[in-house]
């Protein structure tokens, strides 16, 4: 009897020591699950281009489009811009919670959201750039389609952002994929600027000089006035915006297809141990984590600085600098410089740390914000300054998304029993940045209204020039300083980041070992 028990024990021990097929698969998954091929990184990165292409086109051109092409009053334009962005911000945490409740499918948990939202998003985006032929209801038209597009784009971008945590278990691979993504996203801003700017720039409608007794109302309801040529040119300009939006919609669809077929979403290696949270529980959880709160607040102010610059730069170039026919090329130079600078900042943060990169990268734009206002207007100088400023824009693109996974990892280390909340962290970060964007656009347009902005005017009052200088120089500098002061207390240094990575790797190893042992016992 004892011999039989010993034989049985020996047999079970042998079975445990002998790897089963499932155990071999788990071991292989442990070895290779974190590594990403260059092709996978590129396909993942391409998926980020639609958000930046459309965001760049909207950020640089929507304000001037509503004012000078759709001929809306600045007050109503400010309502559209603010409400659209505020609504967009509200949808982010909502979509994040819905994603966290979504079941796993054979395509993953994030991919179905990305694929299903794409066709409806491109339709709404196209209709944003269409001027309806109605005397009343134009404001409602733009509110409906702007808010609809922002909601559908959220259904694309929030799961895409959270996908960073599910393409690899290795922090180094995620950082590398993020660098690829940021390079393509900045390239996306370059494409958005080039497509929108160059197509629209070829059909620039003439302005109205101060001596002419014409305004936007005359253009629409006073056909007896001899304004045939400006009216025809305005129609050409409106058609140019439609053509540009059609090209961007096509790129949007292609990028979504590449992402779907080129990236494999990995299922979580650990069990989700916590129940889904309510909206306010999610706020308390993410903002209660100190490093996340400081990261979000720091980037909230620095991002707001660049949003003020982005939203008003086209008007600043057109009216304050006097480069009405060159502003699209100036924007193109900024985005080209930012695209080329992304690899440099990836090397820099790897060499000197992410926190150092924040200080150096963000402050490098300050001298150029000062010079663009105080140096006499000169096209060549403006191009040089724009190219240099693009280097700092690249840092503003890369660093937030490179540092956010570190904060999520830190939360996992400090809360090992609370897992599966990646989408909540990403959605709330996007929520705060988009809400700030709505504030910047609304404040900017209202400020121009109070300053006496003249729709399609060849020149603007001195108050408008002063307002534009404040919006693209003084306000961004103050916001950058506030953001950097917050970053002083950001606690995740390179040493802590490496320590968190080591702890999480050990946790994954233990979970996979436990899963392997459980599989072997089931075989017995």
């Amino acid at each position: 009897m004892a011999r039989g028990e010993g034989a049985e024990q020996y047999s079970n021990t042998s079975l445990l020591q002998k790897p089963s097929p499932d155990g071999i698969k788990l071991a292989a998954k442990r070895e290779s699950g974190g590594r990403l091929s260059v092709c996978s990184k590129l396909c993942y990165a391409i998926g980020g281009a639609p958000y930046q292409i459309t965001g760049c086109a909207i950020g640089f051109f929507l304000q001037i489009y509503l004012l000078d092409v759709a001929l809306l009053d600045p007050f109503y334009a400010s309502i559209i811009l603010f409400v659209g962005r505020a609504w967009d911000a509200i949808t982010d945490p909502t979509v994040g919670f819905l994603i966290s409740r979504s079941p796993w499918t054979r395509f993953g948990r994030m991919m179905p959201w990305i694929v299903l939202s794409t066709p409806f998003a491109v339709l709404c985006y196209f209709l944003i750039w269409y001027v309806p032929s109605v005397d009343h209801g134009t404001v409602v038209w733009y509110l409906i389609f702007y808010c609809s597009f922002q909601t559908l784009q959220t259904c694309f971008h929030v799961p895409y952002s959270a996908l960073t945590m599910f393409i690899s278990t290795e922090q180094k691979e995620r950082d590398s994929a993020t660098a690829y993504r940021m390079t393509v996203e900045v390239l996306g801003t370059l494409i958005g600027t080039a497509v929108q700017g160059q197509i629209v720039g070829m059909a620039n409608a003439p302005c109205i000089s101060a001596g002419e007794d014409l305004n936007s109302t005359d253009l629409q309801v006073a056909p007896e006035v001899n304004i045939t040529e400006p009216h025809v040119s305005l129609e050409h300009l409106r058609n140019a915006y439609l053509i540009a939006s059609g090209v961007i919609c096509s790129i949007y669809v292609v990028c979504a297809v590449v992402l779907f077929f080129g990236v494999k979403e990995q299922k979580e290696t650990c069990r989700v141990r916590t129940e889904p949270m309510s909206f306010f529980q999610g706020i308390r959880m993410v903002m209660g984590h100190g490093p996340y709160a400081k990261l979000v607040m720091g980037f909230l102010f620095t991002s707001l600085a660049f949003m003020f610059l982005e939203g008003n730069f086209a008007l600043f170039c057109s009216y304050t600098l006097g480069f009405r026919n060159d502003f699209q090329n100036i924007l193109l130079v900024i985005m080209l410089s930012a695209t080329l600078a992304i690899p440099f900042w990836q090397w820099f943060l790897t060499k000197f740390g992410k926190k150092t990169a924040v200080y150096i990268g963000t402050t490098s734009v300050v001298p150029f914000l000062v010079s663009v206002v105080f140096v006499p207007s000169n096209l060549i100088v403006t191009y040089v300054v724009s190219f240099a400023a693009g280097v700092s824009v690249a840092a503003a693109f890369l660093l937030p998304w490179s540092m956010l996974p570190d904060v999520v990892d830190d939360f996992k280390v400090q809360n090992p029993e609370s897992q599966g909340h990646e989408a909540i962290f990403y959605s709330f970060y996007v929520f705060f940045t988009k809400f700030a964007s709505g504030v910047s656009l609304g404040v900017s347009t209202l400020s121009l209204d109070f300053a006496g902005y003249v729709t399609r005017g060849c020149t603007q009052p001195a108050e408008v020039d002063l307002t534009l200088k404040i919006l693209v120089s003084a306000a961004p500098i103050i916001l950058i300083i506030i953001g950097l002061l917050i970053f002083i207390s950001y606690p995740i240094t390179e040493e802590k980041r490496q320590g968190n990575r080591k702890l999480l790797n050990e946790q994954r190893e233990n979970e996979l070992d436990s899963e392997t042992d459980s599989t072997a016992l089931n075989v017995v």
Side-chain angles (χ1 to χ4, degrees):
M1 185 73 175
R3 182 178 179 181
E5 291 177 352
E8 183 178 356
Q9 182 178 5
Y10 176 80
S11 175
N12 290 341
T13 303
S14 300
L15 286 170
L16 289 173
Q17 291 177 345
K18 182 180 179 181
S20 65
D22 290 334
I24 294 174
K25 291 180 181 178
L26 289 170
K29 180 180 180 181
R30 178 169 48 194
E31 293 295 326
S32 62
R35 296 181 181 179
L36 295 173
S37 65
V38 174
C39 181
S40 295
K41 293 176 183 178
L42 284 174
C43 291
Y44 168 71
I46 288 172
Y51 179 76
Q52 296 300 338
I53 292 174
T54 56
C56 183
I58 289 175
F60 278 128
F61 293 94
L62 185 59
Q63 185 185 49
I64 197 171
Y65 167 81
L66 293 175
L67 294 174
D68 289 357
V69 180
L71 304 177
L72 293 181
D73 183 89
F75 175 75
Y76 293 116
S78 67
I79 291 177
I80 293 170
L81 294 171
F82 175 74
V83 172
R85 279 296 187 174
W87 172 258
D88 183 27
I90 294 172
T91 60
D92 281 294
T94 304
V95 171
F97 286 121
L98 293 176
I99 292 173
S100 67
R101 290 167 168 79
S102 299
W104 178 269
T105 69
R106 64 190 184 97
F107 301 110
R109 190 151 56 100
M110 309 295 169
M111 283 296 182
W113 286 83
I114 294 172
V115 173
L116 294 177
S117 65
T118 296
F120 302 102
V122 296
L123 176 61
C124 291
Y125 179 80
F126 182 81
L127 293 175
I128 289 174
W129 304 101
Y130 175 75
V131 180
S133 56
V134 293
D135 295 333
H136 304 286
T138 305
V139 175
V140 176
W141 172 280
Y142 288 116
L143 272 176
I144 290 175
F145 288 108
Y146 187 34
C147 292
S148 298
F149 170 72
Q150 297 288 17
T151 302
L152 292 164
Q153 192 187 48
T154 296
C155 294
F156 182 104
H157 188 62
V158 169
Y160 172 77
S161 301
L163 191 61
T164 307
M165 305 300 295
F166 301 106
I167 58 175
S168 175
T169 57
E170 293 292 330
Q171 189 180 70
K172 183 178 179 181
E173 291 297 307
R174 295 202 304 258
D175 286 345
S176 176
T178 300
Y180 276 81
R181 171 190 165 190
M182 290 301 107
T183 302
V184 173
E185 287 196 2
V186 176
L187 182 61
T189 64
L190 179 65
I191 294 172
T193 305
V195 171
Q196 191 88 358
Q198 298 304 312
I199 294 178
V200 170
M202 290 187 295
N204 199 13
C207 59
I208 301 172
S209 63
E212 296 181 64
D213 188 19
L214 296 173
N215 53 41
S216 60
T217 304
D218 297 325
L219 287 174
Q220 289 182 309
V221 301
E224 68 276 10
V225 182
N226 186 17
I227 55 172
T228 304
E229 182 57 32
H231 181 73
V232 172
S233 297
L234 186 59
E235 288 301 316
H236 285 309
L237 183 59
R238 290 174 175 176
N239 291 333
Y241 271 99
L242 286 178
I243 294 171
S245 65
V247 174
I248 289 176
C249 287
S250 301
I251 298 173
Y252 194 118
V253 173
V254 171
C255 291
V257 170
V258 171
L259 175 66
F260 177 74
F261 288 104
V263 176
K264 180 177 176 58
E265 181 180 345
Q266 297 183 11
K267 195 171 184 178
E268 301 94 324
T269 57
C270 60
R271 299 186 306 274
V272 179
R273 306 182 183 90
T274 52
E275 294 296 325
M277 296 183 176
S278 69
F279 179 86
F280 295 104
Q281 286 177 327
I283 290 180
R284 287 196 296 269
M285 180 191 72
V286 298
M287 298 309 296
H289 187 59
Y292 180 82
K294 292 172 182 176
L295 180 76
V296 169
M297 295 306 296
F299 277 122
L300 179 64
F301 284 98
T302 57
S303 299
L304 189 57
F306 285 97
M307 290 170 191
F308 270 110
L309 180 63
E310 178 188 62
N312 297 282
F313 199 70
L315 291 172
F316 178 77
C317 290
S318 298
Y319 295 113
T320 302
L321 298 181
F323 303 137
R324 184 180 181 87
N325 297 321
D326 298 284
F327 77 88
Q328 68 270 14
N329 297 325
I330 296 172
L331 299 179
L332 194 60
V333 168
I334 294 176
M335 293 299 104
L336 176 62
S337 172
T339 303
L340 297 175
I342 284 287
F344 165 76
W345 287 117
Q346 176 63 21
W347 168 84
F348 189 94
L349 66 86
T350 303
K351 184 74 173 178
F352 301 102
K354 297 179 181 180
K355 195 170 179 178
T356 303
V358 169
Y359 286 106
I360 302 298
T362 306
T363 55
S364 63
V365 76
V366 174
F368 307 110
L369 294 178
V370 174
S371 62
V372 78
V373 170
F374 291 101
V375 173
S377 179
N378 183 283
L379 186 58
I380 296 177
V381 173
T382 303
Y383 276 123
V384 173
V385 170
S386 299
F387 186 87
V391 176
S392 184
V393 172
F397 269 100
L398 174 64
L399 292 170
W401 297 110
S402 179
M403 297 172 72
L404 194 54
D406 301 337
V407 174
V408 177
D409 285 344
D410 186 73
F411 177 84
K412 289 181 177 180
V413 169
Q414 296 187 26
N415 302 272
E417 298 302 319
S418 182
Q419 303 292 335
H421 303 308
E422 292 85 358
I424 297 177
F425 278 92
Y426 278 84
S427 63
F428 272 106
Y429 175 74
V430 178
F431 164 79
F432 287 115
T433 54
K434 286 184 176 179
F435 187 80
S437 175
V439 170
S440 69
L441 289 171
V443 169
S444 298
T445 313
L446 276 178
S447 300
L448 293 173
D449 186 27
F450 292 144
Y453 178 84
V454 179
T455 301
R456 293 184 59 231
C458 292
T459 59
Q460 296 292 339
E463 292 80 4
V464 172
D465 288 338
L466 177 61
T467 301
L468 287 171
K469 288 180 180 179
I470 293 174
L471 292 174
V472 302
S473 180
I477 291 173
I478 293 172
L479 291 168
I480 286 173
I481 293 173
I482 295 174
L484 294 181
L485 289 176
I486 295 174
F487 270 116
I488 293 177
S489 60
Y490 178 68
I492 301 182
T493 61
E494 285 302 299
E495 293 77 11
K496 186 174 180 61
R497 188 171 71 90
Q498 296 293 340
N500 287 341
R501 183 177 67 175
K502 182 178 179 181
L503 290 173
L504 287 175
N505 285 339
E506 291 176 354
Q507 178 182 341
R508 294 188 186 101
E509 290 288 332
N510 292 335
E511 288 175 349
L512 288 173
D513 287 339
S514 299
E515 191 173 350
T516 303
D517 293 342
S518 176
T519 303
L521 288 173
N522 290 334
V523 172
V524 176

